[in-house]
């Protein structure tokens, strides 16, 4: 700046111009670097992550624009249909039914064309919605409205003020004869009684507002009051995945996932199994609904749901290209940790020894809110990255330590995933003994490592390990590699009276998975 600045005082006009332009250019670069770029970084990346949300990506924003663009186009089309129907010389009831049917089909087309989720529908009772009922559903996203209205043509919905007055779909809601319940259900009873007489069902979200944390919260009494006054059955519908795809905390960012609609059996108006008055029924039905929702989560919160893989990768995408692509490739090679998820209970205290960047720990925690996970690794840089992720919460933590010296906590599951061979054989035995000593009743040890007796396939394992530790230096090591053998684990199992199961991890390497469990008395 100083060197160019002195040229401002040069007598030659060309030198003055060059210096002024250069100084202005450098000042612009500094201003952009210290103002615009930090603002953009905070808005798109660090800001959302600090609140526990996905950081924005270019591909994610494209999906979001596509989704909302289709949605707005569909709303405009429906408003055009409503305008044409107003001009059509036909009975009002016929026009309303035609509009509801067109809206249902358009929503089905939209949900398919939006290409954001795999749709699943569970309807064991073959419910057709032909008989009027009060249809209740959990509420996590505005997508709930679209999904519910796509189920059947004869549905009217109880809405709040912002839906009723929305500039995008407010007029559609009003033309479809939906009701606003901000002033109480008593004031809309007469209107709803007329719609029920025409064969319509009433859709209500008993929670009253969208759930932030994805759980089913306390039900309000309005839906059950309506069912009692109108003498209608209650038809529960469990919605899964809508809050993952578009959450209340991040309403204008669309993620991919699974959308499941689970239609539960009708609760007849004369059924007193859930209570006699609507005040009694709201509590009993709410408890049953939450159980059904948890059952649905247990079915679909698994590695087949693309939402969890994308959430995991999103934690690492701005950590650097090496870390990002390592996670992408490794997790896919691990089949998204499906094996670990299937054998580990949904409620467990898990200690992940040699956790590295923490992908396994995070995935196990994502699949169940009843898993507490501790990750331990001797690589301080990897632990720093694992701790600096938006998915970290009170149920998962990472510690920088040498597992050989660390005071391990009592756990239901100890995982040693590709880490034993960094320790000599004596240290391996000591670690295994320590884990067995801290194992809670009914617990297990899950060990995956190369089998030194794996002959030709073990050469592939050694070669890949040498690449990662010597050539790429992605994994740190201080000693030689000491790959265990299956005989070593058989001796440990016999010594501590444990059952042992083993299976090959893949077809190309000697990597083998061992599961050690304490024998029950019935096992002898």
């Amino acid at each position: 700046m100083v060197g160019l600045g002195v040229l401002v005082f040069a007598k030659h006009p060309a030198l003055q111009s060059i210096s002024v332009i250069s100084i202005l250019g450098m000042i612009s670069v500094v201003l952009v670097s210290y103002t615009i770029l930090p603002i953009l970084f905070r808005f798109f990346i660090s800001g959302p992550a600090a609140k526990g949300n996905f950081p924005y990506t270019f591909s994610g924003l494209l999906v979001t624009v596509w989704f909302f663009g289709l949605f707005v186009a569909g709303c405009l089309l429906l408003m055009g249909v409503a305008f044409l129907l107003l001009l059509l010389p036909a009975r009002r009831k016929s026009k309303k039914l035609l509009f509801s049917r067109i809206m249902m089909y358009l929503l089905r087309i939209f949900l398919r064309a939006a290409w954001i989720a795999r749709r699943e529908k569970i309807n064991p009772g073959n419910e057709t919605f032909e008989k009027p009922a009060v249809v209740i559903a959990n509420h996590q996203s505005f997508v709930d409205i679209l999904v519910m209205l796509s189920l059947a043509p004869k549905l009217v919905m109880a809405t709040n003020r912002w839906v009723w007055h929305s500039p995008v779909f407010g007029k559609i809601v009003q033309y479809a004869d939906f009701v606003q319940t901000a002033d109480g259900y008593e004031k809309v009873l007469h209107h709803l009684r007329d719609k029920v007489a025409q064969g319509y069902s009433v859709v209500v979200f008993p929670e009253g507002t969208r759930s932030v944390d994805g759980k089913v919260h306390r039900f309000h009494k309005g839906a059950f009051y309506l069912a009692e006054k109108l003498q209608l059955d209650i038809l529960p519908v469990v919605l899964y995945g809508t809050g993952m795809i578009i959450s209340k905390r991040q309403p204008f960012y669309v993620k991919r996932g699974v959308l499941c609609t689970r239609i539960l059996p009708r609760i007849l108006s004369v059924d007193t199994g859930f209570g006699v008055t609507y005040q009694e029924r709201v509590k009993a039905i709410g408890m049953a609904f939450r159980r059904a929702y948890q059952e649905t989560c247990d079915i679909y919160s698994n590695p087949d749901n693309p939402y969890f893989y994308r959430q995991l990768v999103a934690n690492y995408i701005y950590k650097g290209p090496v870390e990002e692509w390592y996670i992408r490739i490794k997790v896919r090679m691990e089949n998204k940790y499906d094996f670990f998820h299937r054998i580990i209970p949904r409620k467990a205290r898990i200690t992940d020894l040699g956790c590295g960047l923490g992908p396994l720990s995070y995935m196990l925690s994502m699949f169940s809110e009843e898993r507490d996970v501790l990750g331990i690794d001797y690589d301080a840089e990897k632990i720093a990255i694992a701790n600096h992720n938006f998915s970290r919460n009170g149920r998962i933590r990472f510690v920088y330590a040498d597992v050989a010296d660390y005071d391990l906590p009592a756990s239901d599951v100890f995982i040693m995933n590709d880490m034993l061979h960094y320790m000599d054989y004596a240290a391996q035995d000591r670690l295994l003994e320590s884990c067995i000593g801290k194992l809670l009743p009914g617990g297990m040890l899950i060990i995956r490592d190369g089998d030194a007796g794996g002959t030709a396939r073990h050469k592939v394992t050694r070669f890949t390990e040498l690449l990662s530790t010597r050539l790429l230096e992605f994994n740190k090591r201080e000693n030689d590699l000491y790959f265990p053998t299956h005989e070593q684990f058989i001796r440990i199992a016999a010594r501590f009276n444990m059952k042992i199961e083993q299976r090959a991890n893949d077809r190309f390497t000697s990597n083998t998975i061992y599961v050690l469990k304490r024998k029950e008395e019935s096992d002898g």
Side-chain angles (χ1 to χ4, degrees), residues 212-230:
V212 176
D213 55 9
K215 297 180 181 179
V216 179
H217 294 277
R218 183 178 68 88
F219 281 1
H220 297 288
K221 299 175 183 178
F224 306 90
Y225 169 80
L226 283 180
E228 182 177 286
K229 293 297 182 182
L230 299 175

Side-chain angles (χ1 to χ4, degrees), residues 61-263:
L61 290 173
L62 285 179
V63 171
T64 301
V65 170
W66 169 252
F67 179 89
F68 283 103
L70 278 179
F71 176 70
V72 172
C75 289
L76 292 175
L77 180 59
L78 276 175
M79 284 191 281
V81 170
F83 178 74
L84 292 176
L85 288 175
L86 285 173
L87 303 177
L88 188 68
R91 294 175 58 198
R92 184 176 183 275
K93 291 181 180 179
S94 301
K95 292 193 291 185
K96 295 287 186 178
L97 178 58
L98 177 60
F99 182 79
S100 297
R101 198 172 292 276
I102 292 172
M103 180 168 61
M104 178 192 70
Y105 285 118
L106 277 179
L107 285 172
R108 291 180 179 179
I109 294 171
F110 166 75
L111 290 171
R112 185 179 294 273
W115 196 55
I116 58 171
R118 186 177 81 239
R119 296 288 305 280
E120 300 282 349
K121 187 176 181 180
I122 303 175
N123 187 12
N126 295 318
E127 176 61 53
T128 61
F129 295 90
E130 291 182 2
K131 182 182 177 182
V134 173
V135 184
I136 61 172
N138 53 308
H139 197 16
Q140 299 178 3
S141 168
F142 99 95
V143 179
D144 301 331
I145 300 173
L146 312 182
V147 172
M148 293 301 295
L149 293 178
S150 70
L151 293 177
K154 287 192 171 184
L155 296 176
V156 293
M157 184 168 286
T159 66
N160 55 22
R161 279 196 178 92
W162 81 265
V163 172
W164 187 263
H165 296 291
S166 170
V168 179
F169 47 81
K171 295 300 180 183
I172 298 171
V173 165
Q174 295 171 28
Y175 185 78
D177 285 341
F178 291 3
V179 294
Q180 181 191 174
T181 58
D183 298 325
Y185 284 89
E186 298 85 355
K187 295 188 177 181
V188 297
L189 267 177
H190 179 72
H191 173 75
L192 290 178
R193 189 172 280 111
D194 289 342
K195 298 300 291 186
V196 168
Q198 298 171 33
Y200 285 79
S201 294
V202 185
V203 179
V204 183
F205 297 112
E207 294 168 277
T209 185
R210 291 168 293 167
S211 170
V212 176
D213 55 9
K215 297 180 181 179
V216 179
H217 294 277
R218 183 178 68 88
F219 281 1
H220 297 288
K221 299 175 183 178
F224 306 90
Y225 169 80
L226 283 180
E228 182 177 286
K229 293 297 182 182
L230 299 175
Q231 293 296 297
L232 293 176
D233 302 339
I234 293 176
L235 180 54
V237 177
V238 174
L239 300 178
Y240 171 88
T242 56
M244 296 176 180
I245 290 168
I246 300 180
S247 66
K248 185 176 182 179
R249 296 189 305 181
Q250 209 169 13
F252 297 105
Y253 192 53
V254 180
K255 285 84 71 178
R256 300 185 189 277
V258 172
L259 278 179
C260 174
T261 307
R262 182 183 176 189
I263 303 173

